[in-house]
Every structure is written in structure tokens, then in C-alpha cells.
């Protein structure tokens, strides 16, 4: 099953309705999953963009790099 534009809009609408409020200005998410995956693209990237959240993107998983980014960028959530 491929995701259609209508599926994506529905997912984003659900994410927006599910958020109790807009994230605080310092809210930052570490995106460690690929953007070609539905989780990376829809759930994290587009939903974070919709809610105004800062996104830190890793191009390759590395625990050491992730820890450094979490500290440097003040990450509050990660995938």
C-alpha cells in the first residue's frame, strides 16, 4: 500500500488535532530515521514543521553523534 496525498493530509490533521498545544519555542526533535520512511517524513518532519518544532536531522545513525547533538541542540525528543 502506498500513501496517497489524502492519507498524508489525514495523518497531518490527526497529528495537529492530537497535539495538546503548539510546542514550546525550545522544543527540538532529533530525526534519526530516513525521510523515505513514512515515520521520518510524515510523522516527524511534516508534523514538526506544521507545529513549528525545530528538527535536527542525522544523515547516519551513530550513538556518539546522537548524544553530541542532543546536548548541543538541546533535543527534547527523538525518533
Amino acid at each position: 500500500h502506498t500513501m496517497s496525498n489524502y492519507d498524508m493530509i489525514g495523518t497531518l490533521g490527526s497529528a495537529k488535532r492530537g497535539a495538546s498545544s503548539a510546542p514550546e519555542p525550545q522544543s527540538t526533535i532529533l530525526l534519526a530515521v530516513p525521510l523515505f520512511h513514512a515515520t521520518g517524513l510524515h510523522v516527524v518532519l511534516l508534523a514538526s514543521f506544521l507545529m513549528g518544532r525545530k528538527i535536527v536531522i542525522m544523515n547516519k545513525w551513530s550513538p556518539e553523534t546522537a548524544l553530541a547533538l542532543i546536548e548541543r541542540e538541546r533535543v527534547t525528543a527523538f525518533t
Side-chain angles (χ1 to χ4, degrees):
H1 168 52
T2 58
M3 184 170 267
S4 71
N5 291 341
Y6 295 111
D7 292 331
M8 185 173 18
I9 291 168
T11 299
L12 292 174
S14 295
K16 182 73 171 169
R17 284 189 302 277
S20 59
S21 64
E24 298 176 17
Q26 70 273 11
S27 179
T28 303
I29 190 163
L30 178 63
L31 176 59
V33 296
L35 290 174
F36 64 78
H37 190 278
T39 300
L41 179 59
H42 301 136
V43 176
V44 178
L45 182 69
L46 296 177
S48 294
F49 180 74
L50 182 67
M51 294 185 294
R53 177 185 291 146
K54 178 181 173 182
I55 306 165
V56 177
I57 301 175
M58 292 185 68
N59 64 339
K60 181 179 177 183
W61 174 250
S62 161
E64 296 81 13
T65 303
L67 288 173
L69 287 170
I70 289 168
E71 184 175 358
R72 186 179 75 218
E73 300 294 333
R74 298 177 168 235
V75 171
T76 57
F78 72 93
T79 59

